[in-house]
Amino acid sequence: MIQTLKTKVLIIGAGTGGYVAGIRCGQLGLDTVLVDGGDGLGGTCLNVGCIPSKAIIHAAGKFETVAKAAGGGTLGITAAAPVIDLKQAVEWKDGIVRKLNGGVAALLKKAKVKVIKGWAKFEDAKTCVVKTDDGEVKITAEHVILATGSEPVELPFLPFGGDVISSTEALSLSEVPKKLVVVGGGYIGLELGIAYRKLGAEVAIVEMAERILPLYDKALTDPVAKWLEKHGVELHLGARAGGFGDGKLSITTKDGEPLQLDADKVLVTVGRRPRTQGWGLENMGVAMAGPFVKIDQRCATSMKNVWAVGDLTGEPMLAHKGSAQGEVVAEIIAHSSGKGGHDRVFDPITIAAVCFTEPEIVSAGLGPNDVEGRDDVIQSLFPFAAIGRALAIEAGEDGGFVRVIASKADHRILGLQAVGQHVSELSNSFAQMLEMGAVLEDVAGTIHVHPTLGEAFHEASLRALGHAIHI
């Protein structure tokens, strides 16, 4: 027997876009049903992405610190050689995930959102059937928010399974592989590859482009490349991966030569694709933009009252973009329903991005490649080597810096980048300044706390104005 259910808002996907949309819809008094058929409440980010990867990266950093102390002492500290119990570290990581899962569940309950666990299949744009452990539920809705997220891209000649793993499996290994080969030199592959190198694995990276992190300019990625070289990470750039068998990955080098790389595990991180299969998207009649669902500035699809948010809608595939879009859609639906809210658009000045590599990278707004050849902009760079706080936490000797790009005419800030330890914490300041339309004088006139890494942002802005103090 099929249970039937009618609701004002139906949300498919409980990731950062879907659950935030659900909470905001509930807060605005909209009858809301959230269908969770994927990784669990919080989606990829909370369960098998952003949060667990940062936990493992943090554990790897702690292990590296103790290992340094055991290898001749550091900062006057000596210690015995550390041993990593990866299974225990993963259990600690899983505890964090469970705690956050529970928090999301409590917030949804408080907002009076009905959560149904199961896989949805749409019959038409406003009707879906959800298969649950207790049977089937047929749901019809006035508004539908699609938030199905994305999934790792699988290479046909390196299918996932066994010792060929995606980032999901890489976050739940029971022991550190002796030899790890990472296929893909983007941010996911480098974040995890660096973490496992810190934990003691021998790591090789195979990347088709001529350098790592090809979406960022070379000055930003050079400090990461230097870390990889210093720590013995094998780089195969301009190379193509082939098949895997008998503990060896076949690759073709930049020069066209065949090579076999020993590997206990092969981590494939060649990108993510929108999750468009298996839930009846083809029955909904919405327009597509390549592999993504096409939306306008209100996150509306081509079908009336069907909305889409997050990775399903295109680049950048970032959790915070999905959350922001989810809030916008909830406000629009509430406004059109006479429940308050606002008739909003999703039109951010910037969406900052962070690579949690060693060192970290932040980028917001225009970069050097975007303004190459233009004579109407100012570019100013300030090194962390001249910042006291950076030196005091060993973050000033890896070539890190803050860069400001601004208009010559009115000093409007157009772009901000940084590379260095802990610079992810500068990302919100960067986004805020760009969103507010700040000029160089705004940053220069803000008294920055000493001693902090943020002083480099202040000094870079002063330098752009021609009067940096500490360089």
Side-chain angles (χ1 to χ4, degrees), residues 372-389:
E372 189 174 0
R374 287 175 54 175
D375 59 4
D376 61 338
V377 297
I378 307 166
Q379 293 193 51
S380 171
L381 183 148
F382 194 88
F384 281 116
I387 296 295
R389 172 70 169 162

Side-chain angles (χ1 to χ4, degrees), residues 115-262:
V115 177
I116 297 177
K117 180 76 174 175
W119 288 98
K121 179 86 173 190
F122 278 88
E123 296 177 344
D124 58 43
K126 306 289 174 58
T127 309
C128 75
V129 174
V130 182
K131 291 186 177 181
T132 73
D133 293 339
D134 300 321
E136 294 185 346
V137 182
K138 188 171 187 174
I139 309 172
T140 57
E142 185 177 332
H143 291 268
V144 173
I145 303 175
L146 303 176
T148 56
S150 62
E151 59 196 2
V153 171
E154 185 176 48
L155 295 172
F157 49 87
L158 275 178
F160 294 130
D163 292 326
V164 179
I165 61 176
S166 72
S167 56
T168 298
E169 292 78 35
L171 294 169
S172 295
L173 295 177
S174 57
E175 59 183 23
V176 177
K178 291 180 181 177
K179 294 181 182 292
L180 173 68
V181 176
V182 180
V183 178
Y187 75 95
I188 297 174
L190 282 177
E191 284 182 5
L192 294 175
I194 288 170
Y196 274 106
R197 181 68 192 109
K198 289 181 177 181
L199 292 171
E202 293 180 34
V203 176
I205 295 171
V206 180
E207 166 58 44
M208 286 178 58
E210 295 299 315
R211 59 185 183 83
I212 59 170
L213 298 168
L215 295 179
Y216 293 90
D217 67 89
K218 188 173 181 297
L220 277 181
T221 61
D222 274 350
V224 180
K226 288 175 183 176
W227 189 97
L228 296 173
E229 181 182 1
K230 181 180 177 181
H231 292 83
V233 175
E234 198 177 312
L235 279 180
H236 297 276
L237 302 176
R240 292 177 177 269
F244 174 72
D246 299 323
K248 293 183 183 297
L249 176 71
S250 299
I251 73 167
T252 304
T253 69
K254 180 181 178 180
D255 299 325
E257 297 296 322
L259 188 63
Q260 299 273 307
L261 300 179
D262 292 332

Side-chain angles (χ1 to χ4, degrees), residues 244-460:
F244 174 72
D246 299 323
K248 293 183 183 297
L249 176 71
S250 299
I251 73 167
T252 304
T253 69
K254 180 181 178 180
D255 299 325
E257 297 296 322
L259 188 63
Q260 299 273 307
L261 300 179
D262 292 332
D264 298 306
K265 299 287 182 186
V266 177
L267 171 58
V268 179
T269 59
V270 293
R272 296 183 66 85
R273 63 185 173 204
R275 189 176 280 125
T276 56
Q277 302 297 313
W279 49 272
L281 176 63
E282 63 278 4
N283 299 325
M284 300 186 74
V286 300
M288 303 295 289
F292 303 104
V293 170
K294 186 177 182 179
I295 59 170
D296 63 15
Q297 281 192 312
R298 300 168 78 242
C299 300
T301 72
S302 59
M303 182 65 68
K304 184 179 180 182
N305 291 348
V306 175
W307 316 81
V309 302
D311 290 359
L312 186 65
T313 66
E315 298 288 355
M317 289 189 181
L318 297 171
H320 41 291
K321 181 197 81 171
S323 296
Q325 287 178 319
E327 286 190 70
V328 165
V329 171
E331 293 271 353
I332 292 171
I333 294 173
H335 182 74
S336 68
S337 305
K339 292 278 191 177
H342 299 86
D343 191 13
R344 295 175 56 188
V345 295
F346 181 72
D347 187 25
I349 298 298
T350 187
I351 302 175
V354 177
C355 291
F356 290 86
T357 44
E358 186 66 62
E360 295 174 349
I361 296 174
V362 178
S363 182
L366 299 181
N369 297 338
D370 301 311
V371 298
E372 189 174 0
R374 287 175 54 175
D375 59 4
D376 61 338
V377 297
I378 307 166
Q379 293 193 51
S380 171
L381 183 148
F382 194 88
F384 281 116
I387 296 295
R389 172 70 169 162
L391 295 175
I393 60 172
E394 301 181 282
E397 299 174 358
D398 54 14
F401 59 84
V402 171
R403 180 203 292 135
V404 177
I405 299 174
S407 165
K408 273 185 183 177
D410 60 7
H411 293 175
R412 184 81 57 194
I413 297 175
L414 305 174
L416 296 162
Q417 294 84 40
V419 56
Q421 292 181 48
H422 311 295
V423 295
S424 57
E425 298 304 326
L426 297 179
S427 58
N428 295 314
S429 177
F430 287 179
Q432 182 182 41
M433 285 296 180
L434 284 164
E435 201 66 41
M436 292 175 65
V439 295
L440 292 170
E441 286 83 358
D442 290 324
V443 184
T446 301
I447 299 174
H448 285 64
V449 175
H450 175 76
T452 63
L453 297 181
E455 290 178 277
F457 182 17
H458 186 231
E459 289 278 7

Side-chain angles (χ1 to χ4, degrees), residues 16-91:
T16 49
Y19 90 74
V20 168
I23 291 170
R24 190 68 188 116
C25 282
Q27 289 174 342
L28 290 164
L30 299 168
D31 182 26
T32 305
V33 173
L34 173 63
V35 177
D36 168 30
D39 300 305
L41 295 178
T44 294
C45 175
L46 193 156
N47 293 277
V48 293
C50 318
I51 302 301
S53 67
K54 302 316 163 285
I56 294 298
I57 288 168
H58 176 71
K62 292 288 188 183
F63 181 85
E64 182 192 36
T65 298
V66 180
K68 281 182 180 178
T74 178
L75 309 178
I77 303 167
T78 55
V83 176
I84 180 69
D85 183 338
L86 190 58
K87 187 176 179 181
Q88 188 176 340
V90 167
E91 288 173 356

